[in-house]
Amino acid sequence: MFKKDKSSLLFTIGAATLLIGLGFITYLIVISRGPGKDLPAGATVIPQDTMMAISISTDESQWNRLREFGTTESKASFERLLTEVRDRLLTSNGYGYQQDIQPWVGDTAMVAFLRNKVAIPVAPSSPKASPPPPIQQSVAIILPIANPIKAKELLAKPKPLNQGKMVERNYKGVQVTETQGIPDRNFSVAILGTNYLAISTDPTATDRIIDTYKGEPSLAKTPGYGDAIEQIKSPGAFGQIYVNMPVAAAFTAANSARELSPENLEKLQQNQGFATTVTVEKEGIGFKSIAWLKPDSQKRIAVENNAEKMANRVPNNTIMMVSGGNLRRLWEDYVSGADANPIAPVNPQVLRTALKSTTGMDLDKDVIDWMAGEFSLSLIPAPAPNPKDKFAAGFVFMVETSNRGGANKALKQLDDTMKTKGFRVEEIKVGGEAATKWTSPFGGITVTRGWMNDVVFLTVGAPVIDAIVPAPKSPLFGSELFQKTVRSQLKPHNGNFFIDTESAFNPKNLALPEFPPSQKIWIDAIESIGITSAVISDRTTRYDAFVNLKKSEQSSPSPNPSPTPLSPSSSSPTPSSTSSISPSPSP
């Protein structure tokens, strides 16, 4: 999108870039924040310390609806993926889904990732000591049994193995069938009463599932789990994902190159869980998600939902917009958790140091302090194609403030800094109102800032100022694509994200970096994405998302399975193949 220009280097270290980047980074925080319940099948037999559990519909009509979406290329790739997974788990072992699994399986299956309970050696104090090994995990598949007789018939007549052998053992009164002699590729299978068939990649995982079946704490007994699932349940859901945040945090810390102190790990483990329900809808895929804190957590979430206006301040052809209700609070939350987050995108101290060294300003006191209102960062296309323009689109940052004096003081200091960097700073009129324009020494970068009532705006790149001042008559909020994509019923809310994917990744509009073909296939299948977030209570946040997908008229028939089964040594399930329990075409 941006052509190379030496003067742009000056701007990248300027405060304007920091302000714009801040709007996007802090929005990431918006996203990243019992008995008798209608719980997913398998929740009562999966151990409570499971790191992640994924429920997937076995209803073939759901999968057929999913197959309708995408381009011809993405649909063909999706079918290849399903066939590969089916061959790994079923065909390679002599089984077929429709004749061997479908006659007895229930409506929903569950895939769980269990952290293995192994002792982690303490690293010696020697400087040459090796770090402790990463924590390993097992994969378990829980298949609900709708027809116990058919399920037992399947196990009573196991298919012959080309490698290794099949053995049986008894654990706490439950018969367990296992494969042996297949290096790192063994299965363990057990029937739990007449309710479930459990398959795992580790015998100890099977034992733990049996322990849970016999009464040990289960996923269903996790604090807040039942209530959270109740809030996001959807009739006819395609799937559901649950992440055990304390366990996931410990797993991430143990497998991260960045060492976390016990205090920082404790911060991460204040969160209890995250769950999302997935539905296949007429025009795409919907997500209803929830995150909640531990019952004894000292952390509290500010119940504040004020992000209502920004979609009316940008035009209906806006390519991308992120918005939030209180930029200062989001930044404070981000700072408090950044040290404890091994995947935090930006170190707050780096931003503080950069602003201090380039402008002499204190990021928290001089800038963030007056940004306690609604904010947005948008990408708006240039008004008309112009070969002379260096930019095809412009960024627009807006933030509402109740401290106009503090804001003007900070903006004046930025004006003075830009002058010392060689920028031409001049007063102009925009929509009859005074504004300030910065122009880089060689005219490569132009920044315009000004006020709309109590909202500060700042534009960079293409000349899009006329699209926002005065307020657009046809705003983004009223556009057909926005309404179709940002369809959440969370009102009031504290943040939105919208991207017109088709426009954003169209090389005719924006010259973005080329994506690898394997990724571009899926990007080309998406028309737009919308997310809405809201704080429900001081311990619970909710957000809804929708991925608006294209539909290709040309169908992609399911590929035939491999005529020659793969060897059992290549057929063990892995985290990347957990979708394999989905219905597949007949062999």
Side-chain angles (χ1 to χ4, degrees), residues 185-299:
R185 299 284 183 177
N186 290 319
F187 287 100
S188 181
V189 182
I191 289 184
L192 308 179
T194 59
N195 302 110
Y196 301 104
L197 185 146
I199 307 170
S200 78
T201 59
D202 187 339
T204 60
T206 300
D207 292 350
R208 295 183 59 208
I209 290 171
I210 295 173
D211 290 339
T212 306
Y213 174 68
K214 294 289 186 178
E216 290 294 317
S218 68
L219 170 59
K221 298 294 184 180
T222 301
Y225 178 77
D227 291 334
I229 297 302
E230 183 75 15
Q231 293 186 54
I232 60 171
K233 69 178 183 179
S234 295
F238 174 75
Q240 194 168 86
I241 301 171
Y242 163 76
V243 179
N244 185 327
M245 298 305 289
V247 176
F251 181 86
T252 302
N255 291 274
S256 173
R258 177 180 170 186
E259 185 176 354
L260 289 182
S261 67
E263 294 78 11
N264 284 335
L265 182 58
E266 175 61 26
K267 286 182 180 179
L268 281 178
Q269 294 180 331
Q270 294 290 305
N271 301 292
Q272 177 62 66
F274 169 86
T276 184
T277 297
V278 184
T279 56
V280 180
E281 303 180 21
K282 183 179 179 180
E283 296 173 319
I285 301 176
F287 302 84
K288 292 176 66 175
S289 306
I290 189 168
W292 67 100
L293 302 175
K294 286 183 176 179
D296 59 350
S297 170
Q298 298 178 358
K299 181 180 178 181

Side-chain angles (χ1 to χ4, degrees), residues 533-585:
S533 63
V535 180
I536 305 302
S537 71
D538 64 351
R539 291 184 179 275
T540 307
T541 58
R542 275 267 292 110
Y543 71 86
D544 293 341
F546 185 74
V547 180
N548 185 27
L549 296 170
K550 299 176 185 177
K551 283 190 176 183
S552 172
E553 295 297 329
Q554 180 177 348
S555 62
S556 298
S558 303
N560 292 324
S562 306
T564 303
L566 304 178
S567 65
S569 62
S570 63
S571 62
S572 66
T574 64
S576 64
S577 65
T578 54
S579 62
S580 58
I581 58 177
S582 66
S584 304

